[in-house]
Amino acid sequence: MILLETKGLTREYGGVVAVSNVDFQVNQGLITGLIGPNGAGKTTLFNNMTGLDMPTKGKVFFNGHDITGKPAHRICRMGIARTFQNIRLFKELTVLENVMIGRHFKTGKSPFHGRFLNALDSYFRMSREDEQMYSSALKWLDFFEMGELCDELAKNLPYGHQRELEIARALATDPQLLFLDEPAAGMNPQETEHLMETIGKIRDLGITVVLIEHDMKLVMNICDSITVLNYGQKIAQGTPREIKHDPAVIEAYLGKEEE
Amino acid sequence: MLNFFLLIVIYTGIYALMAIGQNVITGYAGMLSLCQAGFFAIGSYATAILSTTYGWSFWATLPVAALLSALFGVLIGLPTLRLKGDYLAIATLGFAEIVRNVLNNWDSLTRGPMGIQKIPMPSIFGFVINPYKKTGFLVMTIIFVLIAYFLFQRLARSRMGRALEAIREDEIAAESMGINTTKYKVWAFAIGASVAGVAGSLQAVFSLSVTPGTYTFMVSIMVLCMVVLGGMGNFKAVILGAFIIQLISYFPQLVGLSSMIPPQFKQILFGLILVVMMIWRPQGLLGREVRDYSRLTGEKGSVFRKKAKQAVSSTQGGER
Ligand SMILES: Nc1ncnc2c1ncn2[C@@H]1O[C@H](COP(=O)(O)OP(=O)(O)OP(=O)(O)O)[C@@H](O)[C@H]1O
Ligand SMILES: [Mg+2]
C-alpha cells in the first residue's frame, strides 16, 4: 500500500531546477532509500514533502490526502516526522527536553491548556502533563539507550548521540512515516552498524522509514526499495539488486564511459 | 535620602514588569524586540485617558491597559514574524517611535506634547495610594511584581515555556516537531506587551501625569539592558537587573553628584553594559534558569522510569 507519494513534484529556485517532475512513492511498512550524487535534490524533495518548502509544481499525497503546501507543524501532526542533514537539535535544552518537545502537541488538547491565565489553575495538571510527556520521552530515550543522559544539554552530546537524539525526538511525535536525512553522516563504522540495527527496529515497530544516505553498504543492506535522483530527476526506482545493476545509476555515480 | 531610595525601588518595580515581558519575548522566544516603550506608553495613556476624561477608577483601567497593549503586541507581532535579529529590532523600534509620534500629535485625545495631568490617585478600600508618600505605592508595586513573577514563572515552566525555548533554539526544528511557531510567537508578543502595559498604568498613577517625552527609545534600551545584565530566560535575574540598572541610572543623584555628572553619562554606561555583558558574560549575572525535572527523574521519579520501561517492552510488540 502506498503511504506517501508525490506527483510531478517540481521545485525551482530562480533558474535552478532542484527537483524536476518527480513521482516518488513510499510503501507502508518498508524502508525506502533515496540516493543520488551531491546536489541531486534529495534534501529539497524531503523539504517539499514535510512542509518546509513549497513545490513550484506538483502534489504530495499522504494517506490519500493532499498535503501540498501545508505548514510543517500540521504535516508533523498528521504523522510525518523527520531529522535534518545538518543536525538541528535544541542545543541549550536537555536531552530529555528535546524529546519532550516531540511530545508537545500530544498534550494540552483542552482549549485553554498551557495558556497564560490557565497558569494559575494548571499547577496540578501541569505536573500530570509533564509526567505523561516524561514517560513517553523516556521510552524513546531508553530505546536508544540514552536514558542515563537525560539531564545532559543536547550540545554536549557526542556526535553519534546527537544524531540518535534527533531520531528519538522525531519518534516521540508518534509518526507513521519517518524521514531520515543522512543519519549516518559523520558516524564511525561501529556507530553506523548500530544505527542500521536501530532503523531495522524502528521498521519492526511498524513505522515506515525513508532515508537519504550516501553510505551504500547501509542503503543496500537495509532498504526494501530505492529511488535514485540525479540532477533533480528520478532516474531509477527498484530493489537494491535492481538498482545496483541499473545502467543509468552506474552512469550517474561513475560517469559515462568515454568511447 | 530614604525617600529617594524608595523612589528607586518603585521604578525598579515598574521597570521590572517591563523586563519580565521582555524576557518572554527575548529570553524565551528569542526575538530581539525593542518596543517595550511603545507598550508602556499605550498602558500609561489608556489609564490616563480613561481615568481623567471618563472618570474610570485605576483598577478598571488596568485590564484595558493590559489588553490594549496585548492587542498592539499582536499587531506588531504578526507582520514582523518573518523578521529575525536586527531586522526585527529595527521594525519594533520603528513601532515604538510611531506610538510616541501618534501620542505627540493626536491632540484631541492625548493633548499632544503637553500630555495629560491631574490623573486621580488610585485608592483601595478607601485608602488612597498617594505616590508622594511612597510607602503605600511601594507596597502596591511590589505586589504587582510578585504577581507577575509568579504568573510568568509558571508560564515559563509550563509546556508553553518549553515550546518558546524550542523556537528560540531552532525555529525550523520546532515547526517540524509539530509546534505552531507562528501562534507561539504572537502569544509571546501579546503576553510580553500586556505586562508592559500594566507597568504603564502604574507609571501613570505614580507620576500622576503622562507626557510623550517619557516613552522614548531609551526606555526600551534600559529594559533590554536589565534583561541582558540579569540573565536572559530567568525572571529573578531580570528583576535583579532592573534594580541594578535603576541604581546606576540614579547614581549621580544618590551620591549628590548630579551637578558634576551629565545625564548623558547614563546612556554611555548602558551601552557599555550591553557590550561588556555580550563579550564577557552573555548569559547574564545569574544565567538562564534550568527547569528542574528531579521530581520525575530523581529518587521518586524512578516510579515513572519503571512505568516507562514497561511501556517500551510492551511497545516493541508492534503497537506504536
Ligand atoms: N534554498 C535554495 N536556494 C537555491 N538553491 C537551492 C536551495 N536549496 C537547494 N538548492 C539547490 O538545489 C540543488 C539540490 O540541493 P539539495 O540540497 O536538495 O541536494 P542533495 O541531494 O540533498 O545533496 P547533498 O547530498 O549534498 O545533501 C542544489 O543544486 C542546490 O544548490
Ligand atoms: Mg542533502
Side-chain angles (χ1 to χ4, degrees):
Chain A
M1 204 196 100
I2 290 177
L3 181 62
L4 175 131
E5 66 178 330
T6 69
K7 287 199 174 137
L9 194 130
T10 303
R11 180 60 169 115
E12 298 170 7
Y13 297 109
V16 183
V17 187
V19 173
S20 169
N21 203 23
V22 168
D23 296 327
F24 178 62
Q25 281 107 24
V26 178
N27 279 301
Q28 179 143 31
L30 303 184
I31 299 176
T32 305
L34 183 60
I35 64 171
N38 289 109
K42 307 177 295 291
T43 300
T44 306
L45 185 59
F46 262 32
N47 289 345
N48 279 279
M49 292 187 291
T50 53
L52 291 182
D53 197 356
M54 185 95 90
T56 318
K57 274 208 298 274
K59 297 251 175 251
V60 186
F61 296 91
F62 178 57
N63 271 329
H65 300 288
D66 184 355
I67 59 164
T68 322
K70 281 213 162 51
H73 70 269
R74 295 218 144 275
I75 291 181
C76 169
R77 288 167 189 218
M78 293 173 81
I80 302 182
R82 68 169 291 168
T83 66
F84 297 88
Q85 181 170 356
N86 43 346
I87 305 178
R88 284 179 174 275
L89 286 171
F90 307 122
K91 293 198 188 67
E92 299 287 334
L93 300 186
T94 64
V95 167
L96 176 64
E97 284 176 315
N98 267 273
V99 185
M100 281 170 91
I101 290 290
R103 296 300 301 172
H104 180 87
F105 72 92
K106 294 279 173 185
T107 55
K109 278 283 153 26
S110 108
F112 293 111
H113 248 211
R115 295 270 168 82
F116 181 58
L117 289 174
N118 204 39
L120 274 181
D121 89 297
S122 69
Y123 227 107
F124 302 99
R125 187 172 45 212
M126 187 182 88
S127 48
R128 190 150 30 87
E129 235 167 50
D130 262 11
E131 277 165 25
Q132 285 169 4
M133 279 196 194
Y134 172 74
S135 52
S136 351
L138 204 61
K139 169 179 110 179
W140 288 113
L141 284 176
D142 281 339
F143 183 81
F144 286 93
E145 290 150 32
M146 287 202 292
E148 302 304 314
L149 295 172
C150 67
D151 289 325
E152 203 64 54
L153 288 186
K155 65 171 179 188
N156 295 337
L157 291 187
Y159 190 81
H161 276 328
Q162 292 199 11
R163 286 243 174 247
E164 288 183 342
L165 177 57
E166 243 205 333
I167 303 176
R169 184 181 68 178
L171 286 170
T173 65
D174 278 352
Q176 269 182 284
L177 176 56
L178 176 66
F179 284 118
L180 303 174
D181 196 344
E182 302 197 18
M187 283 188 173
N188 63 35
Q190 286 113 308
E191 285 172 330
T192 307
E193 189 74 27
H194 185 243
L195 177 77
M196 233 156 85
E197 280 170 30
T198 310
I199 294 174
K201 272 202 262 171
I202 293 171
R203 188 225 2 236
D204 295 342
L205 291 176
I207 299 171
T208 309
V209 179
V210 181
L211 90 155
I212 296 177
E213 195 40 73
H214 284 297
D215 185 325
M216 280 308 142
K217 182 168 160 268
L218 192 156
V219 172
M220 294 299 165
N221 271 327
I222 66 170
C223 288
D224 301 297
S225 156
I226 295 174
T227 297
V228 190
L229 290 185
N230 193 23
Y231 293 114
Q233 282 168 332
K234 182 167 99 174
I235 56 168
Q237 177 183 2
T239 62
R241 177 182 291 273
E242 286 161 2
I243 293 298
K244 238 183 257 177
H245 300 108
D246 190 298
V249 177
I250 295 169
E251 185 187 308
Y253 272 91
L254 302 175
K256 204 182 177 81
E257 268 181 60
E258 302 289 336
E259 274 122 74
Chain B
M1 183 67 195
L2 172 70
N3 228 1
F4 194 68
F5 187 72
L6 292 185
L7 175 94
I8 293 178
V9 178
I10 289 172
Y11 271 121
T12 298
I14 293 176
Y15 274 74
L17 289 175
M18 279 196 274
I20 285 173
Q22 179 91 45
N23 189 35
V24 174
I25 300 173
T26 311
Y28 278 86
M31 299 183 283
L32 182 52
S33 149
L34 281 178
C35 56
Q36 286 304 70
F39 304 131
F40 190 44
I42 290 167
S44 278
Y45 271 81
T47 291
I49 292 168
L50 288 174
S51 60
T52 54
T53 317
Y54 299 95
W56 288 31
S57 97
F58 166 70
W59 307 105
T61 68
L62 262 183
V64 178
L67 286 176
L68 201 63
S69 304
L71 181 72
F72 276 95
V74 172
L75 286 182
I76 177 77
L78 273 176
T80 53
L81 277 178
R82 287 164 180 281
L83 304 179
K84 296 242 154 61
D86 356 359
Y87 297 101
L88 181 66
I90 290 167
T92 50
L93 191 154
F95 167 76
E97 284 302 293
I98 291 172
V99 170
R100 198 165 60 84
N101 278 305
V102 169
L103 296 176
N104 228 332
N105 292 295
W106 192 350
D107 289 354
S108 59
L109 186 72
T110 65
R111 298 200 215 143
M114 292 184 329
I116 297 170
Q117 274 77 35
K118 299 214 183 79
I119 296 170
M121 297 176 191
S123 63
I124 185 163
F125 307 127
F127 176 76
V128 176
I129 303 171
N130 184 340
Y132 295 112
K133 294 208 183 110
K134 304 267 187 320
T135 20
F137 204 92
L138 179 75
V139 171
M140 176 170 80
T141 312
I142 290 177
I143 291 173
F144 268 81
V145 173
L146 284 180
I147 292 175
Y149 172 77
F150 282 113
L151 275 178
F152 279 84
Q153 187 75 309
R154 291 282 311 130
L155 173 84
R157 287 180 186 167
S158 73
R159 52 196 285 285
M160 177 167 178
R162 206 183 296 120
L164 289 179
E165 290 205 271
I167 293 171
R168 179 194 70 221
E169 290 298 312
D170 194 317
E171 199 175 331
I172 290 178
E175 178 77 24
S176 294
M177 290 301 117
I179 291 176
N180 186 344
T181 54
T182 311
K183 182 183 97 179
Y184 278 110
K185 281 162 77 179
V186 173
W187 266 107
F189 250 107
I191 291 167
S194 70
V195 48
V198 170
S201 294
L202 281 182
Q203 166 72 30
V205 292
F206 184 56
S207 56
L208 301 179
S209 70
V210 293
T211 48
T214 315
Y215 307 96
T216 58
F217 171 56
M218 267 317 281
V219 172
S220 301
I221 293 291
M222 267 173 83
V223 172
L224 183 68
C225 270
M226 291 165 179
V227 173
V228 171
L229 177 68
M232 286 201 245
N234 184 332
F235 290 105
K236 273 193 207 81
V238 304
I239 296 173
L240 174 71
F243 181 64
I244 297 175
I245 293 285
Q246 287 299 351
L247 209 57
I248 292 173
S249 147
Y250 284 102
F251 186 71
Q253 285 100 314
L254 201 60
V255 295
L257 287 176
S258 51
S259 55
M260 286 171 68
I261 304 174
Q264 287 86 340
F265 162 80
K266 233 163 61 170
Q267 307 188 4
I268 297 173
L269 206 60
F270 293 153
L272 213 63
I273 289 177
L274 276 181
V275 172
V276 169
M277 289 307 284
M278 280 306 169
I279 295 172
W280 292 109
R281 214 176 147 79
Q283 73 272 42
L285 292 176
L286 298 189
R288 198 166 280 295
E289 184 172 296
V290 184
R291 266 184 290 269
D292 180 11
Y293 294 99
S294 60
R295 187 179 59 80
L296 298 169
T297 56
E299 276 300 304
K300 275 202 210 135
S302 53
V303 184
F304 298 112
R305 232 193 130 71
K306 278 194 204 103
K307 269 196 218 152
K309 278 250 165 70
Q310 283 161 7
V312 76
S313 46
S314 66
T315 309
Q316 261 145 9
E319 177 247 358
R320 258 195 332 273

